[in-house]
Amino acid sequence: MAITTPLPPMDDALPDPAPARVFTLTGQRSDCCPSQAYASATVDGVALNFCAHHWHQHRGVLTEITCDWVDECDAVLLKTGTVSDV
């Protein structure tokens, strides 16, 4: 005889899933190489786009001197599982 676990009643609501992350740089290209941009930094009113590799290479200096920056490198992790593949 097989032992089965009863299903929970249908009125038990499942928790709402986390909202999907919206990436604003989709389709943008990096200013320093032909890769897709995953980060943007504004320097003196000019937006500079960076691939994940170049952003990680220069972000220390850029985040110190810029007034605004966007890091969407999570998109790389969602696609590849690592940033080093970019």
Side-chain angles (χ1 to χ4, degrees):
M1 175 155 79
I3 299 174
T4 60
T5 305
L7 295 174
M10 293 297 288
D11 59 345
D12 288 348
L14 296 175
D16 291 334
R21 172 103 188 257
V22 176
F23 296 100
T24 59
L25 295 171
T26 303
Q28 299 291 321
R29 289 287 166 202
S30 173
D31 292 327
C32 50
C33 70
S35 297
Q36 179 177 337
Y38 290 103
S40 179
T42 303
V43 179
D44 294 328
V46 177
L48 301 172
N49 293 330
F50 295 90
C51 66
H53 166 79
H54 284 109
W55 174 248
H56 287 285
Q57 184 178 2
H58 300 293
R59 75 176 167 191
V61 173
L62 289 167
T63 55
E64 289 177 11
I65 65 170
T66 60
C67 60
D68 188 26
W69 52 273
V70 176
D71 183 351
E72 296 183 349
C73 292
D74 292 348
V76 179
L77 294 173
L78 291 174
K79 289 191 326 189
T80 66
T82 179
V83 173
S84 64
D85 290 344
V86 177

